[in-house]
Amino acid sequence: QVQLQETGPGLVKPSQTLSLTCTVSGGSITTNSYAWSWFRQPPGKGLEWMGVIRYDGTTYYSISLKSRTSISRDTSKNQFSLQLSSVTPEDTAVYYCARKLVGGPYYKIDEYDYWGQGTQVTVSS
């Protein structure tokens, strides 16, 4: 059973960088054919795909967030991380990590088979 757990600060000040980590257990993030994404859900809105890191380390980002987003990984800890720079209150959301097979659009929510429970991040001074 694969499990994902998001961790990070719950409160970030405007203009700072939001940093979150997803720790994966029950499976390796380097296992061939899997991709690991970050999503977020602002209050009252739907899930938004932010970006992905594949088993081979390749990354892809949402066009709307690409200039502010970076996804990296630490294979020794079986973790992947999200950094979102220059945050504003509009970045307040529940942030999720999730897994899917490589292939097909990464923004398609129903193609993901495992999800973290989500972590609330509030951007406020």
Side-chain angles (χ1 to χ4, degrees):
Q1 179 80 357
V2 176
Q3 293 185 317
L4 295 86
Q5 177 68 59
E6 306 91 347
T7 54
L11 181 64
V12 182
K13 295 185 184 300
S15 80
Q16 292 187 340
T17 295
L18 180 163
S19 296
L20 297 174
T21 295
C22 182
T23 301
V24 179
S25 59
S28 173
I29 62 172
T30 61
T31 297
N32 200 354
S33 300
Y34 285 104
W36 308 86
S37 281
W38 285 98
F39 288 82
R40 68 179 183 177
Q41 186 168 25
K45 298 184 179 181
L47 276 170
E48 176 186 23
W49 177 72
M50 301 180 70
V52 64
I53 186 163
R54 292 170 21 136
Y55 66 96
D56 60 0
T58 305
T59 54
Y60 300 99
Y61 300 104
S62 164
I63 293 174
S64 63
L65 295 170
K66 186 175 183 178
S67 63
R68 299 195 292 131
T69 307
S70 177
I71 297 175
S72 60
R73 66 181 184 175
D74 185 336
T75 57
S76 68
K77 296 181 180 179
N78 214 34
Q79 297 174 333
F80 63 105
S81 297
L82 170 74
Q83 290 197 314
L84 182 66
S85 62
S86 305
V87 297
T88 71
E90 285 67 41
D91 294 309
T92 294
V94 178
Y95 286 76
Y96 299 88
C97 54
R99 185 193 84 163
K100 75 180 291 291
L101 286 169
V102 169
Y106 291 113
Y107 59 81
K108 292 191 72 174
I109 297 167
D110 59 3
E111 292 194 2
Y112 287 82
D113 56 358
Y114 289 101
W115 292 79
Q117 65 184 22
T119 187
Q120 173 71 48
V121 177
T122 301
V123 179
S124 175
S125 56

